[in-house]
Amino acid sequence: MISFLRVFAYICIWTTPFQVAFILWGIGIVIVTDYSVLSLSVIEFFRNYLGFFLPVIDWLYAWVWNALLDWVFSLPMILHGTLKAIFSTWLGFWILKKIK
């Protein structure tokens, strides 16, 4: 169990650069398009810039509570990504501190 938690913590920490890259990509989109920080939702980002993930999103709607997915995908992409990156990095460091 400790090795699983250690791997999970390292994954949380190692994915931080990818999350920061998506945040910067979103900021770049806001700068060069008519989107604002609040109007670029997660689903708009996926529809316009990562369209190959739409079948996965449709599959999620078949298995996960639709109201929850509607809420998550309607959040502003930059704010959602920033909070997710902060939380996952903190969680990774917290788990590592607790298991050592």
Side-chain angles (χ1 to χ4, degrees), residues 7-61:
V7 168
F8 180 74
Y10 282 127
I11 289 173
C12 285
I13 295 167
W14 289 340
T15 58
T16 302
F18 297 111
Q19 294 178 26
V20 171
F22 276 105
I23 295 165
L24 293 175
W25 187 8
I27 291 171
I29 292 169
V30 167
I31 290 171
V32 300
T33 63
D34 290 334
Y35 287 113
S36 70
V37 172
L38 297 177
S39 69
L40 180 62
S41 66
V42 175
I43 196 65
E44 285 294 320
F45 180 76
F46 276 106
R47 278 189 191 135
N48 295 329
Y49 300 99
L50 294 173
F52 57 91
F53 276 118
L54 289 178
V56 175
I57 292 172
D58 291 337
W59 177 81
L60 281 172
Y61 270 101

Side-chain angles (χ1 to χ4, degrees), residues 12 16 19-20 23 38 42 71 75-91:
C12 285
T16 302
Q19 294 178 26
V20 171
I23 295 165
L38 297 177
V42 175
W71 179 74
L75 293 173
M77 181 261 183
I78 296 171
L79 299 176
H80 178 252
T82 303
L83 293 176
K84 186 172 58 168
I86 291 169
F87 179 76
S88 69
T89 305
W90 170 83
L91 181 65

Side-chain angles (χ1 to χ4, degrees), residues 61-72:
Y61 270 101
W63 291 98
V64 180
W65 188 30
N66 289 348
L68 176 67
L69 287 177
D70 287 340
W71 179 74
V72 169

